[in-house]
Every structure is written in C-alpha cells, then in structure tokens.
C-alpha cells in the first residue's frame, strides 16, 4: 500500500540481492523502522519476536528465510534444519508450514548448485501470489461492503460501518491485507466506509497497526476498546464485521486473534453479518475441529502486564499496568466455530463456512 504516496510492501529483497528487508512492526505506530534480514536466524527472530506478523506475512518471511539459509548452506541436512528452525517460531498460523512446504517442494529434488536461485525465485513468487490473492479478496469483499452500504443508505445513513479485530491489513500480509483489502477497495471506489478498530489487547495490533495503516490511507476509523463492539452492535452501529484468520479448518472453524470468538458471539446475537477474509494458504485441510485441534500460542505474559507507547515528551516508553506479583495469562488466539461465521471471503469468491461451501470454491480439495 502507499505510505505518503510511495507504494510500499512489508517485505522486499534488498537491492544487493543478499538479504531481505522488512518493516519492523514492533516500532509502529510511532516509528517507521526497516530491518535487514541476512540469515536464517534473522528471519526466525523476526517472526518469533513479531517484527513481522500476520499469517501471510509470516509465510512469506519464512520462505525468504529458507532462501537466506540456502545461501549459507544448500545441503539437504541444512534444508531440514532450516525448516525446523522456522517452523518452531510460532505454532498457530498455518501459512508458516504451508510456505515452508512450498519451499521444500521447490528445492528438495534439485541439485544443490541450483537451490539458491530457485529459493529466491520461489520466495518472490509466494510474496507476489499473496499480493494477488489479497487483491482478489478485496474485490470479492468490497461487493459485501457495497451491499451493506446500499442498505445503510436506504435507512438514511451517511456511512457504512465495518468492525474489524486485530490487524488483518496490508501490514499482516505482503500487501493489500485480507480483512482490510475490501475496505481499501471500497474506499478507493468512493464508498463512505468507516472502520471500528478493536484495539486488540494485549499487543494492541489494532490500535498500533490497523489504525496506523488506515491513517496512512486516509480511511475514516475509530479505535475502540475490545469490549465495546457488542454495545455498538446492540445500537445498530455496525453494519458488518470482517476479520482475518491464522488458520481455518476444512469445516469452516476460524482461528484468529484472541477475542474474535467473543465478537462473533455478539454479532450472532445482534444479527450482524460476520465475515472472515480467508486466503487459501490459510485453510488447513487436515484439520476438522478447530477448537480441539488447532494449537493456540501462549506468549510471554509481559505482553499482558506491560504496554508500550509514546509519553507526553514524545519518548517511547514501556509501563507496567498490573500490580507486582499478579499472575497473568496470554493466549494469542481463539477459535470461532463455523456456525457463527456468515461467510468466508476468499480469492475465488465468497462461500458459506462449511465443507460444502469450501468445496464449491476449492473442488480440488472436496
Ligand atoms: C491476515 S492474518 C492476520 C491475523 O494474524 C494476527 O495475529 P498476529 O498478529 O499474532 O500474527 C491476527 O490473528 C490477524 O487476524
């Protein structure tokens, strides 16, 4: 997307062809810092420490991580070690394994001497494919926003209100985003869209990333506490919800940032359409019951007990928000059962969150 008019991706090959560069998302929204990744360890750290995050971007970064690893050592053993190092960084987003498997498919059967060039090429393809997938999700989802706007307009409304959770914008992908791609497409088409931005505790990806990118693009938005959405829905202030996903099962269960399930419950209770933007690499065809089968990442509790922001002097500071000695828990994701999902917005179209719905768009997996 554009930052101050300049087209920008979240990850790109360095000009010297020896590294990749990323936006360090731990420094947003107040600082724009890029980081150069030169080694497998650099890529693994970037994923684990969430300099890059978001299922598709995690996958793209892992793919480039395999290319950086091959540059150092293209042997079969090194490939296996690199796969395992990257796969162990974060457990929930299936795009990580998907991308690593894609790289092994591309590299496994070819001579070691060809592996570096092929790895860079496949990683670049994965990045470009992500951009194309997300743009298509944007086109398919924008039709839903347009329909909601037509209904809102008929009621005398002056805008259409979309609620989203966490960050599933272009900062969560290589470009366009998933849940926010329809918002950008609708906004660029002149539809008066407004976004309720869940701050998304504990890491505040909504407040620090979604608000940041909507601000850059000029999309009207309001940052709200995570617990506000139900109230807004009760008062008719949300026309539809669109969220992202880190892993969706073949039955349509949706794993996403913690708190998504509660938003879906409120949407169901208030008859608010609840859509999930779903790029196909995020579908885990091997899993049926999301609640029982999807591993939920538990992260360092200091993400819960501390917050980082800008003080009155403009300095970036971290403060403790809980009493010394109070235990904390930090589960990163939850699973929204398919029964609470109105539809899945994929690059191939919109379908019900069901095996039958997915089969219509992905018959090769039926
Ligand atoms: C388009 S995937 C975005 C997805 O990833 C986020 O998790 P995290 O920031 O921890 O990587 C969140 O679940 C978003 O919905």
């Amino acid at each position: 997307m554009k930052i101050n008019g300049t087209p920008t991706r979240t990850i790109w090959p360095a000009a010297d062809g020896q590294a990749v560069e990323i936006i360090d998302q731990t420094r947003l929204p107040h600082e724009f810092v890029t980081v150069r990744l030169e080694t497998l360890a650099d890529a693994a750290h970037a994923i684990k420490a969430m300099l890059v995050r978001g299922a598709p971007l995690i996958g793209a970064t892992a793919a480039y991580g395999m290319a950086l690893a091959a540059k150092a050592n293209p042997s079969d053993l090194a490939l296996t070690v690199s796969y395992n190092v990257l796969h162990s960084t974060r457990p929930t987003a299936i795009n990580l394994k998907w991308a690593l498997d894609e790289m092994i498919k591309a590299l496994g059967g070819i001579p070691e001497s060809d592996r570096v060039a092929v790895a860079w090429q496949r990683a670049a393809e994965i990045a470009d494919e992500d951009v194309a997938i997300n743009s298509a999700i944007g086109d398919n989802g924008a039709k839903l926003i347009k329909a909601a706007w037509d209904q809102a307009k008929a009621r005398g409304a002056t805008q259409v209100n979309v609620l989203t959770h966490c960050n599933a914008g272009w900062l969560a992908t290589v470009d366009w985003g998933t849940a926010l791609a329809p918002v950008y497409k609708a906004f660029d088409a002149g539809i008066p869209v407004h976004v309720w931005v869940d701050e998304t505790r504990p890491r505040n990806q909504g407040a620090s990333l979604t608000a940041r990118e909507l601000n850059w693009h000029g999309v009207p938005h309001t940052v709200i506490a995570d617990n506000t959405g139900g109230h807004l829905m009760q008062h008719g202030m949300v026309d539809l919800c669109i969220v992202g996903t880190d892993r969706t099962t073949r039955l349509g269960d949706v794993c996403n940032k913690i708190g998504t399930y509660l938003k879906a419950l409120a949407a169901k209770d208030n008859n608010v359409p609840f859509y999930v933007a779903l790029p196909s690499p995020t579908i885990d065809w091997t899993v049926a019951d999301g609640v029982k089968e999807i591993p939920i990442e538990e992260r360092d509790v200091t993400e819960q007990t501390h917050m980082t922001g800008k003080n009155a002097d403009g300095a970036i500071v971290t403060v403790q928000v809980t009493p010394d000695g109070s235990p904390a828990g930090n589960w990163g994701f939850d699973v929204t059962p398919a029964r609470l999902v109105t539809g899945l917005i994929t690059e191939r179209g919109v379908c019900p969150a069901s095996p039958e719905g997915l089969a219509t768009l992905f018959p090769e997996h039926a």
Side-chain angles (χ1 to χ4, degrees):
M1 297 301 283
K2 290 182 179 176
I3 298 179
N4 301 323
T6 304
T8 308
R9 285 185 173 187
T10 52
I11 187 169
W12 60 93
D16 63 11
Q18 298 303 307
V20 288
E21 294 177 346
I22 60 168
I23 298 172
D24 179 352
Q25 299 191 25
T26 64
R27 307 291 293 275
L28 293 173
H30 303 303
E31 300 170 299
F32 184 84
V33 173
T34 61
V35 171
R36 182 180 164 92
L37 308 181
E38 297 186 337
T39 66
L40 167 68
D42 290 345
H45 170 73
I47 296 170
K48 188 167 183 63
M50 296 178 70
L51 279 67
V52 293
R53 27 63 55 197
L57 180 53
I58 289 170
T61 305
Y64 275 116
M66 291 292 281
L68 294 170
K71 181 162 68 78
N73 181 344
S75 69
D76 286 346
L77 177 59
L79 273 186
T80 302
V81 169
S82 305
Y83 182 105
N84 292 333
V85 165
L86 290 163
H87 189 237
S88 67
T89 51
R90 295 187 70 190
T92 303
I94 192 61
N95 306 60
L96 175 55
K97 182 179 187 298
W98 173 84
L100 292 171
D101 289 345
E102 286 293 308
M103 295 302 289
I104 293 299
K105 269 194 278 185
L107 302 178
I110 64 174
E112 289 185 16
S113 57
D114 295 341
R115 285 179 174 174
V116 175
V118 170
W120 281 103
Q121 177 189 336
R122 187 65 190 111
E125 288 169 356
I126 286 172
D128 290 342
E129 286 161 9
D130 181 59
V131 175
I133 285 171
N134 299 335
S135 180
I137 286 173
D139 293 335
N140 293 328
K143 295 170 188 169
L144 299 171
I145 295 177
K146 172 66 165 63
W149 164 232
D150 289 343
Q151 290 178 355
K153 190 168 45 176
R155 295 195 307 271
T158 57
Q159 65 187 28
V160 57
N161 296 295
V162 177
L163 184 144
T164 194
H165 190 71
C166 197
N167 174 252
W170 72 270
L171 289 170
T173 69
V174 177
D175 204 345
W176 276 115
T178 58
L180 291 188
V183 168
Y184 291 126
K185 296 274 188 173
F187 175 80
D188 290 349
I191 292 172
V193 58
H194 165 266
V195 183
W196 296 112
V197 177
D198 276 359
E199 61 179 349
T200 316
R201 293 283 286 130
R203 285 186 66 101
N204 299 319
Q205 286 101 317
S208 63
L209 302 178
T210 295
R212 171 73 279 167
E213 61 175 86
L214 291 173
N215 192 300
W216 273 329
H217 203 78
V219 179
H221 60 282
T222 305
V223 180
I224 53 176
D226 291 328
N227 300 322
T228 309
H231 166 74
L232 298 177
M233 293 184 208
Q234 286 176 323
H235 290 268
M237 298 169 73
V238 179
D239 296 296
L240 71 164
C241 299
I242 308 180
V243 300
T245 175
D246 296 83
R247 187 184 313 210
T248 291
T249 79
R250 66 171 183 269
L251 298 187
D253 290 349
V254 172
C255 181
N256 197 48
K257 183 55 53 191
I258 194 80
T260 303
Y261 170 47
L262 297 178
K263 215 57 57 154
L265 286 171
K268 192 72 172 182
D269 191 52
N270 291 280
N271 299 312
V272 173
F274 189 88
Y275 287 98
V276 176
L278 172 62
S280 55
T282 310
I283 304 171
D284 185 347
W285 300 100
T286 71
V287 169
D289 185 323
V291 173
K292 290 179 181 171
E293 298 181 67
I294 297 175
I296 301 297
E297 180 181 24
E298 292 186 54
R299 294 185 61 87
D300 191 307
V301 295
T302 55
E303 293 181 356
Q304 183 66 47
T305 58
H306 292 66
M307 289 183 80
T308 299
K310 182 168 65 172
N311 71 10
D313 300 326
I316 305 301
V317 296
T318 297
V319 297
Q320 182 175 322
V321 294
T322 55
D324 293 340
S326 285
N330 183 9
W331 288 268
F333 301 91
D334 60 24
V335 176
T336 299
R339 69 176 186 276
L340 297 177
V341 178
T342 305
L344 302 171
I345 308 170
T346 79
E347 67 270 25
R348 296 187 187 180
V350 181
C351 70
S354 67
E356 299 77 15
L358 286 167
T360 62
L361 296 179
F362 300 96
E364 68 272 27
H365 289 278

